[in-house]
Amino acid sequence: MKKTITVIAFILSINAFSQQGKIFIETNYNSFSHSSLSDFQQEFKADLAPITLKTVDDFPANIGFTLGYEIVDSNSALFLSYNSTGGKISYSDYSGIVKIEESLSAITFGAIYFLNLSEKKDFRIGFRGFSMFSRFNLNSFSEISNNIQQDNFDFQSTDFGLGAQLNYEYPLSFLILKANIGFDITFGGKLIFDDNNEAYLTNNSNNKVTTGWSGLRSGIGIAIPIN
């Protein structure tokens, strides 16, 4: 429900502007830390000893996408982004299979304020503020001596963040090529269990596990001016 309201608000905001603007689309490459989830995954490996689980994925750098609208006269923009990543540990031999898969995704809604660093206004620094609505899925599967056990859990969280980015734009015909690189700091909320809003994900020390969307972010894309 929160995601639906966010998308509607984003679309209505774009339609409300009458100033000169730019619609922009980006492909992002993100290298976020996800340290809390990575540590949580390592605890699974320790808890299941002496089974020697292998780490297949440890919340690696990922590809994301951004859609936005810039209000040129106000040096500001609204944006909507999608990101995803995940972790996986597994073990298999003649006696059976054990695997634990974790998937993480987020929709981000936020705003950017730009300061020009050149007279041509092609090189700028942008300051971001945003909220993130994250989904986390934990799926475990084991098959040992024809005994199959599978569990699936879903969690959600609302995170808030701040960031800064360097932006470069190059006009090309009726399009503008754009690129940026920046860093985000995210304040993660609790990963609340879908089936019980009073319960949330914790580690072995009884501390909350967070999404960890802080880290480096880059993007390349195009902008289309609208008069």
Side-chain angles (χ1 to χ4, degrees):
M1 184 63 180
K2 289 182 179 179
K3 293 179 182 178
T4 302
I5 293 173
T6 299
V7 173
I8 293 173
F10 180 75
I11 294 173
L12 291 177
S13 297
I14 290 178
N15 290 334
F17 295 125
S18 59
Q19 301 101 323
Q20 182 182 2
K22 303 174 189 173
I23 293 177
F24 60 88
I25 302 171
E26 294 177 3
T27 298
N28 307 111
Y29 181 77
N30 308 299
S31 182
F32 300 128
S33 64
H34 303 297
S35 58
S36 182
L37 285 170
S38 181
D39 291 343
F40 182 69
Q41 181 169 261
Q42 292 303 310
E43 288 184 349
F44 266 118
K45 294 178 68 174
D47 292 342
L48 292 174
I51 299 176
T52 309
L53 289 163
K54 178 183 178 181
T55 299
V56 180
D57 286 311
D58 191 13
F59 301 93
N62 57 87
I63 299 295
F65 304 94
T66 296
L67 170 67
Y69 181 86
E70 180 182 342
I71 312 162
V72 175
D73 293 339
S74 301
N75 289 324
S76 60
L78 295 176
F79 68 90
L80 187 69
S81 297
Y82 175 80
N83 293 284
S84 64
T85 186
K88 181 179 180 179
I89 52 178
S90 65
Y91 175 81
S92 64
D93 63 10
Y94 66 91
S95 63
I97 299 171
V98 176
K99 62 179 180 180
I100 298 172
E101 298 177 325
E102 302 158 274
S103 61
L104 177 68
S105 63
I107 291 178
T108 304
F109 176 68
I112 310 172
Y113 180 74
F114 298 104
L115 290 177
N116 295 316
L117 299 178
S118 68
E119 292 185 3
K120 295 173 61 178
K121 300 182 179 181
D122 56 349
F123 189 50
R124 302 181 294 175
I125 184 170
F127 299 97
R128 296 160 39 103
F130 54 87
S131 60
M132 305 184 73
F133 305 105
S134 300
R135 299 285 301 179
F136 177 68
N137 175 262
L138 176 62
N139 184 283
S140 63
F141 175 86
S142 65
E143 182 179 359
I144 300 175
S145 301
N146 295 321
N147 181 22
I148 297 176
Q149 182 175 346
Q150 185 169 11
D151 294 298
N152 190 72
F153 305 99
D154 290 303
F155 302 83
Q156 58 182 315
S157 73
T158 302
D159 309 329
F160 300 94
L162 300 170
Q165 63 183 52
L166 291 174
N167 303 268
Y168 179 74
E169 296 186 352
Y170 182 79
L172 184 65
S173 184
F174 66 95
L175 298 175
I176 299 174
L177 303 181
K178 62 194 308 290
N180 60 69
I181 186 169
F183 189 88
D184 289 339
I185 298 175
T186 306
F187 307 96
K190 296 176 180 178
L191 280 163
I192 300 173
F193 188 36
D194 271 6
D195 293 339
N196 181 359
N197 290 335
E198 301 299 320
Y200 58 92
L201 192 64
T202 60
N203 57 24
N204 289 346
S205 300
N206 205 34
N207 296 320
K208 71 175 182 179
V209 177
T210 59
T211 54
W213 290 108
S214 298
L216 292 171
R217 174 186 38 75
S218 62
I220 56 172
I222 61 171
I224 304 173
I226 299 176
N227 294 326

